[in-house]
Amino acid sequence: MKKLIAGAMLLGASSLAFAQPGCGVGAMIWKGQSGIAPHVLAATTNGTFGNQTFGMTTGTLGCDTNESVQSMAMYMDSNIDKVARDMSRGEGENLDTLAVLLNVEQGDRAEFRKLLQDNFATIFPSSDTTSDEAVSAIVALLESHQSFSKYVA
């Protein structure tokens, strides 16, 4: 029971770090609600049902996304462990693949790798982080960054 509560708190806390839950079933159910409770419930619903990657890859569930993000989400579904390993080191073939899928220009790739490495704990807050959560965190991180927001717009 303690693990369940700790997991729910971690999921909620990590979701809060990403601003709004953005899209997915949770965001649709709690749309128009303000305050921390609806926000946490929306993020928890999205995390429970794991629907944000589906929404991002199909452009459904209120997800407004581009082909690059769709490609990254599909890649993350199959390679999340490899991406996490490379991201923690700040280098590697899988991290370079993410950069290519997001059309990150060659001159920006070193900074891209550094940005993801510096924010590894936010993107992968636990060993149980799903690809939905990681993709959402990466998109939120890039959207908030002046130089990289163009790659997820």
Side-chain angles (χ1 to χ4, degrees):
M1 186 66 171
K2 289 179 182 178
K3 289 182 179 179
L4 181 61
I5 292 170
M9 290 176 63
L10 181 61
L11 179 61
S14 66
S15 298
L16 288 174
F18 309 140
Q20 297 298 315
C23 63
V25 172
M28 295 177 79
I29 291 171
W30 300 99
K31 184 177 184 178
Q33 304 285 324
S34 61
I36 193 165
H39 179 85
V40 170
L41 289 170
T44 304
T45 301
N46 285 342
T48 301
F49 293 105
N51 57 66
Q52 277 187 311
T53 300
F54 174 77
M56 288 177 179
T57 55
T58 60
T60 59
L61 301 175
C63 297
D64 184 23
T65 187
N66 62 33
E67 287 184 30
S68 299
V69 173
Q70 292 173 3
S71 297
M72 179 184 66
M74 291 183 347
Y75 185 76
M76 289 286 288
D77 275 345
S78 302
N79 299 287
I80 188 168
D81 292 335
K82 296 173 187 171
V83 171
R85 183 194 64 225
D86 287 358
M87 195 178 295
S88 70
R89 298 182 311 174
E91 63 181 17
E93 180 180 337
N94 295 287
L95 196 53
D96 291 339
T97 300
L98 280 190
V100 170
L101 292 173
L102 289 171
N103 297 316
V104 175
E105 295 170 14
Q106 190 69 35
D108 291 339
R109 290 190 185 169
E111 188 179 355
F112 173 79
R113 290 188 294 268
K114 177 92 171 93
L115 178 68
L116 294 182
Q117 182 184 24
D118 290 348
N119 290 282
F120 177 80
T122 301
I123 297 167
F124 291 99
S126 76
S127 61
D128 297 329
T129 301
T130 66
S131 63
D132 285 345
E133 294 164 337
V135 167
S136 295
I138 291 169
V139 169
L141 175 66
L142 297 177
E143 284 177 338
S144 69
H145 195 276
Q146 187 175 8
S147 300
F148 292 109
S149 61
K150 64 184 175 188
Y151 297 116
V152 292

